[in-house]
């Protein structure tokens, strides 16, 4: 097991390097010259040249890359162009608020989606199922903005069920997080139900299930004895794939509900072309994704007896 | 805005990875009967008809036969739906109907162009990777793992910024970020197909690698490619909305994303719901049609899906 | 999933339900059986579970209205960048640093036209007859707030040397301030100092280099309580500059102690001190117990005393114990929070305007009964469309620009995008400043489609023929994009094609500075209440990368500017300013849009609240009627 995880970690290194090259190139090409913004009003050509030199932007690209890699290795993402804050601090500050919104919402939504799709599959090709398909596509095509604007206005303001926006640390933050969580769940359900429904449908049509049913298992029994366990792998896949979305998925939610998380930070950085921050977010997200993959693979091994960790 | 949308809906990859679960390994069944099955599927045909209507509308809009005045102030600001303006007007007094129609053109253009870019790249890489294995495979797997590990939306944004925004940039950005799914699926399938008798036979008869790949294997993985293509299409249409909201989308033209962005605050502040509802509905119907068609396509073409 | 090589490692049993036979043992692990049982149970009760979860979430989520105390709660429109006054170039940073830091002079709160009074200075500056030498005496006995950066944690007395240090630090190249232009070329020896600072080692070495201790001829502390400043030319608005946040007095101990993190801390002499700054969420300021030198103004117009604004005359400041700024990135949550009574003051988001304010410009009665009041004030700003005169076509054809100016419907812009809250502009100078003349109107400053078409033909482009598509630069934001589309719509009426390009602020700035522009949307807000601040936007030597982004060069205008900049307000200055406005009206380097009228909403319990065009948040003058607030909000 340990050997397997270690090997997977080693496999991750070339991928991480590839990402750093890709990201660096992208942002270097996109980057433009940050100097104008740093100097603002009435900067003359000489000042601009000096600052360009100070920031090392006049060095060859490969030298800049190596420098960049070296600082990354020290966990130093530099400072934001826009806010001048240390990016590692920004990431650390934003991580928990994001997580406390994303993880519970994601879990609730996933469990609900599996349950709903189980029902859909049990009643497959009937009217209820068809309505569900339409509903989930509707959920997929409704912009999350509609959910946010509508829910904030109606549930929080008009009916006063939730605070309008805000955030607190720890459990005191729960009231503030409840509504964004609800919206998250509503928004995630559409796509998830679509996915899990087709996964379960695929399983339930297999011969062994048909056989099991012939042997006298009830629908529900067949579902949880055979279908669900066998569908676990694609379900885990979907869950693992969702991990990097734990912060990009909540971009707009955090903005509208004033949650000081990574999504909020990313939107601000995007609006300000704050490349160091976007770069750090991209790297951070990628690392998260790779980690999630490894976790996913280990989970497969735990849940699927056919996968051997050798 | 589930960015999870770039995940292959039918979960082909984990199944392919798990090996035998992809189902039967019998030689390809006659494809003709599959198409027949598709043609007999009423809901699939209805969905196809809807898609065709969209295509026709888009073509008409593109050739300036309809919705020519989408930029002009035809009335005053925020006229609710009426006989003169079926879907009302927006802030600048422009007809929402004409803008929705014009948006169709952009949605389909984004969908088709990015699919047209993503699928060939994905298929080519998948074929090469699955067939030659070793170094080629190693490199391609490394490459797509790398691309895939970067959060999709950030990658698209960065690319859209590099290429200077606008419709073309969005299409290209979406295209070159969404080939991974197709590549993976094709690769997995090729690895299996390679071991099958017909490939061995072709090889025994002295066919070259390229010939085997493109003449023998490619037609046998086409059904997967088709399914992937429609997934990429749907994702592209949805992503355009997010990109427009973040300000790197289509410039100077009304896409559905731009309209939803315009409409988001006026929805409550002014109660002007018509722009929002129109754009969302237009998108919903198109996505629904694609979803239904995609399901039917899979039912018909995927041999492991012998249902109904 | 990612690593495909996994394929090769998977053992491949052929079979049916893998969970039934071979793998029975592993299936029976606690985890999986628990999971399956749970799923089965939940499956039966799924609808109940959904409802239950929703209800549970709702219950207990309703916010409780706790006792508020003497707190002022205000929105902050965007994430705050810094509290370092030398770096604070945006409105929000300025609002916050203003609570902590003070300058030698400050704006009078009630006097209009805007005027200044001593703050950390003891009395008005002694200015030599040639207007070039300023001697300023410091207010005695003022101490910095207590902070760990001082020995023993006790704030010390403020001296003249602190002022000299603060200005020198601000002008140090390494600080990368946006504010250098306020002293650029004005103070004897300061430009040389800046030049020398280029040679200093970069931060974080040497927070306090020896260079700071060298005496400058034009900026000296004569003793602990006297500052002498010598100017290169007699700038009449120089004392206004000394009231700008860039000139705030900061203790060198704080800069040295906090180093690179100084931007997250604030150590000043002002009425409040920073208690909490949660990035992206809120800032909290509490009363500074060592602040004793501020008093509520005793003089004001008759209307002020009628409005009850002089009830607190002469009382010590501040009245409010705590300030909470909440950061809102979107307008909807800010608006809803205000209506709910969670904020004491708010602006009116554009799209909620129609909902809140009736066409008669009075507040909807539903809101009035909640205790909300509407406050109007003219802002010192100008919104405009700027041509790049270095563009070969736009620069060469004056008549083309004039035609475009005539085709631009500024009144409609005010209606659509400012809800009628604007005054059509005819020159860069906004109402409320010296030189503004409401009767002045340029020959091309109105909307006249026929005249525009005629002029376009005369320029050689009848119906827009022969003209390429022009690019209109604007920034991200639905609102700004729509304004761009409106501009395109206007120009389409005379046959000119416009492509709207949207950029983020830094990209936009980059294009501007490189002169890679044709037409752009722009706005300017006063740094200090002098027409010079607006007229310099078109001064030839200020061309990009300076602030003259039109790259307008007119020798007559430039020479008039140089005269105008150094003479005090007088009929003579008025004449010069008038001539400059006429030149601009003829040359049309800009299409004038409007001067904004700022409308703020506040609750009745917020007292002493007067909009001020230069000060964004003079909270030290505000008072909260806590009794009234409790009455409205309960709790």
């Amino acid at each position: 097991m340990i050997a397997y995880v270690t090997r997977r970690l080693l496999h991750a290194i070339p991928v991480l390097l590839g990402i750093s090259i890709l990201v660096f190139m992208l942002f270097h090409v996109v980057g433009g010259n940050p100097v104008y913004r740093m100097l603002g009003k009435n900067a003359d050509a000489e000042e601009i040249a000096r600052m360009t030199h100070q920031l090392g932007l006049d060095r060859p690209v490969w030298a800049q890359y190596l420098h960049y890699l070296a600082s990354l290795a020290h966990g130093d993402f530099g400072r934001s162009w826009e806010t001048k804050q240390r990016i590692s601090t920004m990431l650390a500050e934003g991580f928990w608020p994001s997580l406390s919104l994303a993880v519970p919402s994601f879990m609730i939504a996933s469990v609900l989606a599996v349950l709903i799709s189980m029902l859909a599959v049990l009643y497959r090709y009937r009217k209820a199922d068809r309505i569900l398909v339409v509903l989930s596509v509707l959920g997929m095509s409704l912009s999350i903005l509609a959910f946010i604007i509508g829910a904030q206005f109606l549930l929080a303001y008009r009916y006063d069920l939730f605070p309008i926006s805000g955030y607190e640390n720890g459990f005191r933050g729960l009231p503030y997080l409840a509504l964004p969580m609800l919206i998250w769940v509503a928004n995630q359900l559409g796509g998830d139900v679509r996915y899990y429904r087709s996964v379960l449908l695929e399983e339930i049509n297999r011969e062994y299930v048909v056989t099991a049913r012939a042997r006298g298992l009830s629908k529900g029994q067949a579902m949880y004895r055979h279908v669900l366990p066998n569908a676990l792998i694609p379900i885990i896949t979907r869950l693992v794939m969702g991990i990097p979305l734990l912060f990009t998925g909540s971009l707009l939610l955090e903005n509208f509900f004033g949650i000081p998380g990574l999504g909020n930070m990313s939107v601000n950085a995007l609006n300000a072309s704050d490349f160091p921050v976007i770069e750090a977010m991209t790297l951070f997200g990628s690392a998260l994704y790779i980690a999630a993959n490894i976790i996913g693979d280990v989970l497969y091994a735990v849940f699927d007896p056919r996968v051997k960790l050798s | 805005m589930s960015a999870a949308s770039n995940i292959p809906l039918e979960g082909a990859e984990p199944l392919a990875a798990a090996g035998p679960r992809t189902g039967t390994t019998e030689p390809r069944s006659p494809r003709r009967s599959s198409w027949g099955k598709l043609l007999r599927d009423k809901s699939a045909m209805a969905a196809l008809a809807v898609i065709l209507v969209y295509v026709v509308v888009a073509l008409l809009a593109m050739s300036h036969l309809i919705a020519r005045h989408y930029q002009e102030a035809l009335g005053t600001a925020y006229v609710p739906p009426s006989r003169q303006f079926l879907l009302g007007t927006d802030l600048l007094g422009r007809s929402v109907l004409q803008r929705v129609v014009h948006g169709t053109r952009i949605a389909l253009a984004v969908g088709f162009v990015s699919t047209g870019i993503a699928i060939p790249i994905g298929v080519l890489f998948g074929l090469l990777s699955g067939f030659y294995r070793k170094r080629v495979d190693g490199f391609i797997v490394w490459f797509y793992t790398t691309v895939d590990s970067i959060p999709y939306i950030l990658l698209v944004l960065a690319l859209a910024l590099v290429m200077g925004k606008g419709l073309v940039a969005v299409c290209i950005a979406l295209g070159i970020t969404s080939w991974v799914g197709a590549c993976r699926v094709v690769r997995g399938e090729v690895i299996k197909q390679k071991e099958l008798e017909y490939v061995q036979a072709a090889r025994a008869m002295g066919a070259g690698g390229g010939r085997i790949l493109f003449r023998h294997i490619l037609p046998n993985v086409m059904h997967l490619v088709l399914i992937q293509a429609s997934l990429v299409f749907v994702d592209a249409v949805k992503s355009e909305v997010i990109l427009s909201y973040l300000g790197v989308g289509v410039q100077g033209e009304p896409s559905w994303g731009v309209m939803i962005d315009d409409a988001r605050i006026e929805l409550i502040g002014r109660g002007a719901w018509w722009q929002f509802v129109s754009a969302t509905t237009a998108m919903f119907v198109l996505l629904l049609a694609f979803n239904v068609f995609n399901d039917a396509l899979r039912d018909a073409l995927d041999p492991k899906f012998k249902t109904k | 999933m990612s690593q495909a090589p996994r394929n090769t490692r998977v053992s491949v049993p052929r079979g049916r339900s893998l969970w039934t036979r071979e793998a029975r043992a592993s299936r029976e692990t606690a985890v999986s059986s628990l999971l399956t049982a749970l799923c089965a149970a939940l499956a039966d009760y799924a609808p109940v579970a959904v409802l239950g979860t929703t209800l549970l979430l709702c219950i207990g989520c309703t916010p409780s209205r706790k006792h508020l105390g003497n707190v002022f709660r205000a929105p902050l429109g965007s994430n705050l960048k810094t509290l370092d006054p030398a770096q604070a170039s945006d409105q929000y940073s300025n609002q916050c640093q203003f609570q902590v830091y003070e300058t030698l002079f400050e704006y009078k709160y009630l006097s209009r036209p805007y005027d200044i009074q001593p703050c950390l200075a003891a009395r008005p500056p002694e200015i030599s007859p040639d207007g070039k030498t300023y001697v300023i005496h410091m207010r005695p006995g003022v101490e910095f707030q207590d902070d760990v950066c001082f020995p023993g944690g006790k704030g010390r007395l403020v001296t003249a040397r602190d002022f000299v240090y603060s200005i020198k630090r601000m002008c140090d190249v390494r600080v990368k301030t946006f504010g250098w232009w306020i002293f650029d070329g004005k103070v004897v020896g300061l430009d040389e100092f800046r030049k020398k600072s280029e040679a200093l080692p970069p931060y974080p070495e040497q927070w306090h280099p020896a260079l700071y201790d060298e005496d400058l001829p034009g900026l000296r502390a004569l003793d602990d309580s006297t500052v002498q400043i010598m100017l290169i030319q007699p700038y009449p608005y120089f004392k206004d500059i000394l009231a700008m946040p860039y000139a705030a007095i900061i203790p060198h101990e704080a800069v040295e102690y906090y180093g690179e993190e100084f931007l997250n801390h604030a150590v000043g002499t002002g009425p409040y001190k920073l208690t909490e700054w949660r990035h992206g969420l809120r800032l909290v300021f509490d009363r500074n117990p060592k602040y004793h030198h501020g008093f509520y103004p005793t003089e004001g117009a008759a209307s002020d005393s009628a409005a009850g604004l002089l009830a607190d005359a002469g009382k010590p400041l501040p009245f409010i114990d705590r300030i909470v700024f909440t950061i809102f990135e979107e307008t909807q949550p800010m608006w809803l929070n205000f209506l709910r009574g969670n904020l004491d003051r708010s602006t009116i988001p554009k799209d909620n305007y129609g909902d809140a304010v009736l066409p008669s410009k009075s507040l909807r009665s539903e809101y009035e009964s909640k205790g909300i009041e509407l406050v109007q004030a003219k802002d010192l700003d100008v919104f405009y469309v700027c041509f790049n005169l270095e563009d070969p076509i736009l620069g060469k054809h004056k008549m083309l620009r004039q035609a475009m100016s005539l085709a631009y419907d500024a009144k409609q812009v005010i209606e659509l995008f400012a809800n009628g809250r604007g005054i059509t502009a005819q020159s860069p100078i906004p109402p409320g400043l010296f030189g503004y003349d409401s009767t002045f109107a340029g020959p091309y400053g109105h909307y006249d489609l026929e005249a525009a078409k005629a002029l376009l033909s005369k320029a050689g482009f009848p119906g827009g023929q022969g003209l390429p598509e022009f690019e209109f630069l604007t920034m991200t934001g639905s609102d700004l994009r729509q304004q761009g589309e409106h501009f395109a719509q206007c120009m389409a009426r005379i046959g000119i094609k416009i492509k709207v390009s949207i950029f983020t602020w830094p990209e936009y700035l980059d294009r501007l500075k490189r002169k890679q522009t044709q037409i752009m949307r722009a706005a300017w807000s006063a740094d200090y209440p002098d027409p010079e601040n607006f007229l310099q936007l078109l001064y030839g030597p200020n061309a990009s990368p300076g602030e003259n982004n039109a790259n307008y060069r007119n020798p007559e205008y430039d020479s008039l500017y140089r005269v105008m900049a150094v003479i005090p307000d007088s009929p003579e200055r008025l004449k010069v300013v008038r001539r400059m406005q006429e030149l601009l009206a003829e040359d049309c380097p800009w299409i004038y849009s409007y001067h904004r009228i700022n409308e703020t909403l506040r609750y009745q319990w917020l007292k002493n609240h007067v909009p001020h065009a230069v000060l964004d948040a003079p909270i030290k003058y505000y008072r909260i009627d806590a009794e009234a607030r409790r009455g409205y909000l309960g709790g």
Side-chain angles (χ1 to χ4, degrees), chain A residues 216-259:
Chain A
L217 252 68
S218 79
K219 260 191 195 172
Q221 279 174 322
M223 172 66 81
Y224 74 80
R225 289 275 299 276
H226 297 292
V227 176
L228 203 58
N230 274 301
L232 259 184
I233 297 291
I235 290 177
I236 291 175
T237 304
R238 175 88 175 184
L239 290 179
V240 166
M241 294 285 208
I243 290 178
L245 308 177
L246 292 189
F247 64 96
T248 52
S250 55
L251 285 176
L252 302 179
L253 265 181
E254 292 188 357
N255 241 6
F256 266 87
F257 286 95
I259 297 163

Side-chain angles (χ1 to χ4, degrees), chain A residues 2-281:
Chain A
I2 293 170
Y4 174 72
V5 175
T6 319
R7 207 176 50 239
R8 288 302 320 271
L9 284 175
L10 287 177
H11 272 292
I13 292 175
V15 177
L16 274 173
L17 272 180
I19 292 166
S20 74
I21 295 176
L22 214 64
V23 167
F24 176 81
M25 287 312 287
L26 269 179
F27 286 98
H28 186 80
V29 179
V30 183
N33 197 338
V35 170
Y36 294 109
R37 181 156 38 138
M38 294 190 160
L39 293 177
K41 292 177 177 182
N42 295 16
D44 59 39
E46 191 191 331
E47 272 176 283
I48 288 166
R50 191 180 54 246
M51 181 75 81
T52 308
H53 179 73
Q54 259 183 27
L55 294 173
L57 295 176
D58 52 350
R59 286 183 299 170
V61 176
W62 60 267
Q64 290 187 43
Y65 174 71
L66 286 183
H67 176 76
Y68 168 76
L69 211 56
S71 34
L72 281 189
H74 290 100
D76 177 13
F77 293 104
R79 278 179 186 264
S80 153
W81 286 349
E82 181 69 10
T83 63
K84 310 284 191 308
Q85 301 289 339
R86 200 180 286 285
I87 293 173
S88 44
T89 318
M90 291 168 76
L91 286 175
E93 279 182 345
F95 192 63
W96 281 113
S98 281
L99 221 60
S100 53
L101 166 62
V103 171
S105 327
F106 186 68
M107 301 292 230
I108 296 171
S110 301
V111 170
L112 271 181
V114 172
L115 292 178
I116 294 173
S117 37
M118 273 164 62
L119 289 177
V121 170
L122 285 179
Y123 301 100
R124 61 187 174 281
Y125 303 127
R126 300 217 198 127
K127 208 174 260 171
D129 176 44
R130 288 188 188 280
I131 291 173
L132 204 70
V133 170
V134 174
L135 276 182
S136 59
V137 176
L138 183 63
M140 282 163 70
S141 27
L142 255 184
S143 164
I144 192 173
L145 282 166
F147 284 110
I148 295 175
I149 293 169
Q152 192 171 50
F153 182 74
L154 289 175
L155 300 181
Y157 177 66
R158 185 58 64 72
Y159 300 118
D160 201 8
L161 294 171
F162 302 93
I164 294 161
S165 68
Y167 179 79
E168 294 288 342
N169 283 337
F171 283 107
R172 282 186 308 146
L174 206 61
Y176 295 102
L177 290 174
L179 186 57
M181 279 184 193
L182 207 66
I183 295 172
W184 179 309
V185 171
N187 185 56
Q188 194 190 324
L189 272 183
D192 272 14
V193 168
R194 281 288 297 150
Y195 174 81
Y196 294 132
R197 179 182 167 276
S198 45
V199 165
L200 293 175
L201 206 55
E202 195 164 319
E203 279 307 317
I204 210 165
N205 287 321
R206 288 191 192 287
E207 283 166 50
Y208 71 85
V209 181
V210 180
T211 319
R213 289 274 286 132
R215 282 209 320 256
L217 252 68
S218 79
K219 260 191 195 172
Q221 279 174 322
M223 172 66 81
Y224 74 80
R225 289 275 299 276
H226 297 292
V227 176
L228 203 58
N230 274 301
L232 259 184
I233 297 291
I235 290 177
I236 291 175
T237 304
R238 175 88 175 184
L239 290 179
V240 166
M241 294 285 208
I243 290 178
L245 308 177
L246 292 189
F247 64 96
T248 52
S250 55
L251 285 176
L252 302 179
L253 265 181
E254 292 188 357
N255 241 6
F256 266 87
F257 286 95
I259 297 163
L262 298 174
N264 198 336
M265 203 174 104
S266 307
V267 171
N268 285 340
L270 279 176
N271 288 336
S273 297
D274 195 345
F275 290 122
V277 174
I278 300 176
E279 209 174 297
M281 290 299 290

Side-chain angles (χ1 to χ4, degrees), chain B residues 13 17 94 165 184 187 262, chain C residues 1 4 7 481 485 502:
Chain B
E13 168 59 12
R94 299 171 298 198
K165 300 179 179 172
R184 235 188 225 150
R187 177 179 172 279
D262 272 355
Chain C
M1 281 313 307
N7 266 343
R481 190 193 63 241
E485 287 169 7
I502 298 160

Side-chain angles (χ1 to χ4, degrees), chain C residues 173-379:
Chain C
V173 166
R174 303 174 302 166
V175 174
K176 295 172 193 154
T177 179
F178 283 9
W180 162 241
W181 61 274
I182 70 171
F183 291 119
D184 189 5
K186 293 194 178 79
V187 178
V188 179
L190 203 55
D191 294 67
E192 290 76 10
F193 169 83
R194 186 172 168 82
K195 195 87 201 143
K196 277 188 207 161
S197 74
E198 286 168 14
L200 292 173
Y203 289 139
E205 296 161 61
Q206 291 203 13
W207 293 103
H208 195 122
L211 182 63
Y212 283 17
D213 300 325
E214 288 173 21
D215 254 352
L216 296 185
L219 177 65
R220 278 192 298 164
L222 298 180
D223 57 51
D224 267 2
S225 66
T226 318
V227 176
Q228 190 195 51
I229 301 171
M230 280 163 69
L231 300 181
I232 295 169
Q233 284 196 60
Y235 296 98
Y237 53 88
F238 189 74
K239 59 186 191 318
D240 296 344
I241 280 180
L242 291 180
M244 285 182 70
Y246 288 127
I249 297 186
I250 59 176
H252 64 91
E253 288 93 336
V255 175
E256 286 149 28
Y257 181 84
Y258 291 113
E260 278 188 288
E261 292 302 316
F262 179 62
L263 74 163
N264 287 324
H265 296 268
V267 184
T269 55
Y272 294 95
K273 54 183 188 159
L274 180 68
T275 312
E276 184 199 355
W277 179 3
R278 180 75 198 263
H279 292 274
L281 184 60
R282 68 169 159 253
L283 284 99
V284 179
F285 293 92
D286 278 310
R287 180 195 285 269
N288 171 13
K290 294 178 87 175
Y291 176 83
H292 301 298
H293 55 272
F295 297 91
Y296 196 85
T298 48
E299 52 192 77
S303 60
D304 289 340
S305 85
L309 285 172
L310 287 170
D312 288 319
K315 289 186 184 164
L317 300 175
F319 300 109
I320 290 169
D321 292 334
R322 169 174 276 208
I323 306 169
V324 179
F325 285 110
T326 310
I327 294 158
F328 293 98
E329 306 281 353
E330 294 284 342
T331 54
Q332 168 164 313
M334 177 188 80
W335 179 243
L336 297 180
N337 268 308
F338 174 72
L339 293 183
R340 175 55 59 68
N342 294 339
L343 297 168
D344 298 311
R345 185 185 74 177
S346 169
T347 54
I348 312 173
K350 169 179 144 295
D351 284 290
N352 298 101
Y353 191 81
D355 173 50
V357 182
L358 300 170
S360 63
K361 297 287 160 211
S362 61
L363 206 59
R364 188 180 287 259
S365 57
E366 176 195 342
Y367 295 126
E368 262 178 355
S369 64
K370 280 182 164 183
I372 299 175
E373 294 173 333
L374 179 70
V375 197
Q376 277 201 341
K378 286 172 189 148
D379 270 353

Side-chain angles (χ1 to χ4, degrees), chain B residues 13 16-18 20-21 25 71-73 77-78 91-92 94 99 141 144-145 161 165 184 187 191 245-247 251-252 258 261-262 264-266 268-270, chain C residues 1-8 10 12-14 18 330-332 350-352 354-355 416-417 419 476 478 481-482 485-486 489 493 500-504 507:
Chain B
E13 168 59 12
R21 275 236 235 123
T25 49
Q71 294 289 47
E72 289 164 35
Y78 295 123
L91 168 74
L92 297 179
R94 299 171 298 198
R99 291 170 75 74
V141 169
Y144 79 57
T145 313
L161 286 170
K165 300 179 179 172
R184 235 188 225 150
R187 177 179 172 279
I191 290 172
Y245 174 76
L246 292 173
Q251 309 259 313
V258 170
D261 182 27
D262 272 355
R264 69 196 172 106
I265 298 291
E266 70 196 28
I268 284 185
R270 298 182 196 265
Chain C
M1 281 313 307
S2 64
Q3 257 74 0
R6 192 171 354 97
N7 266 343
T8 55
V10 172
V12 184
R14 308 257 143 189
L18 299 156
E330 294 284 342
T331 54
Q332 168 164 313
K350 169 179 144 295
D351 284 290
N352 298 101
D355 173 50
L416 290 177
F417 299 102
N419 305 108
T476 33
S478 332
R481 190 193 63 241
Q482 286 174 339
E485 287 169 7
H486 175 260
Q489 222 176 44
R493 289 186 194 130
V500 180
S501 292
I502 298 160
F503 293 94
T504 61
E507 292 173 309

